[in-house]
Structures are given as C-alpha cells and as structure tokens.
Amino acid sequence: MKISTKGRYGLTIMMELAVKFGEGPTSLKSIAERNQLSEHYLEQLVAPLRNAGLVKSIRGAYGGYILSKDPETITSGDIIRILEGPISPVDFTEEDDPAKRQLWLRIRDSIADVLDSTTLADLINFEDAGKPDSYMFYI
C-alpha cells in the first residue's frame, strides 16, 4: 500500500491543527506556507475531513480550521481512510490461493493496527530516538 500525497498532506494539515489545538483557528494559508504546499490543494483535502467531522471551519477575518476532537482521539487511520479509502495492500478475490489471501489479510491488518494505534497526539509529540547527540566536539 502506498499513501498518496492526499494522505500525506492531509496528515500534515491535521498535525498542524493538533499542535494549535485549543489556541483558536489556523488558516490553510499559514499551513501551506509553513510546509511549502499549495493552499489550493490543501483546500481540496480539508473538505472531506470537515465532512467527516474531524475539523470545523471558523469564518471571519481570523478564521480558519480547528480540530473538532482532542488530538488523542483522532488516529492516523481515521485520516488516511477518509482521504485514501479502505486500507488494502492488494485487491484480491475469493479465487486467490488461500495462502496468499491470508498473507494479504495479515498485511492489511498489520497496517491498520499501526495506523489505528497512532494518534495525532503521538505524532506531534514524537521524539526521534535515533537523532544525533547535540554534543560538540573540538579537535
């Protein structure tokens, strides 16, 4: 399964809104500028997220978008399914070999488990354990 730009940019929008959760609305223009993305494209992506009830739009001069729920209750799976559709690594039929069909189901379920167990709060609070130390060595 490959996540398209719809899913990736949609996750970016939601992470940006999660960082600002409780602080008021965030404009798509500011999200687009901060992430060097097309504002027009983000407008297309936020519509299904709004229709699904994950974000609310606020009108006015200081308007924008806010999360409709706490970042700890929205999973990356919620977002990806709204923007990408069902999670499935392959389209398979009942005529497929049972062993292969079982493999595809296990892969699908593993991907779904990871997406459904990762919340927006997890993503915005992520700390990279593999990042290099900030020590400076002088020779």
Side-chain angles (χ1 to χ4, degrees), residues 82-111:
I82 289 165
L83 296 172
E84 300 279 354
I87 296 166
S88 181
V90 295
D91 293 328
F92 58 91
T93 64
E94 294 304 316
E95 292 89 35
D96 276 349
D97 180 273
K100 289 192 300 186
R101 188 171 57 243
Q102 184 60 32
L103 173 65
W104 306 143
L105 290 172
R106 287 178 41 219
I107 292 170
R108 180 202 64 195
D109 293 346
S110 295
I111 293 169

Side-chain angles (χ1 to χ4, degrees), residues 68-89:
S68 60
K69 305 176 191 176
D70 190 287
E72 293 178 358
T73 64
I74 300 173
T75 68
S76 54
D78 297 332
I79 300 160
I80 297 300
R81 284 186 189 89
I82 289 165
L83 296 172
E84 300 279 354
I87 296 166
S88 181

Side-chain angles (χ1 to χ4, degrees), residues 10-24:
L11 205 52
T12 299
I13 293 169
M14 296 298 284
M15 288 173 66
E16 290 277 348
L17 297 179
V19 167
K20 302 287 188 183
F21 186 70
E23 297 178 14

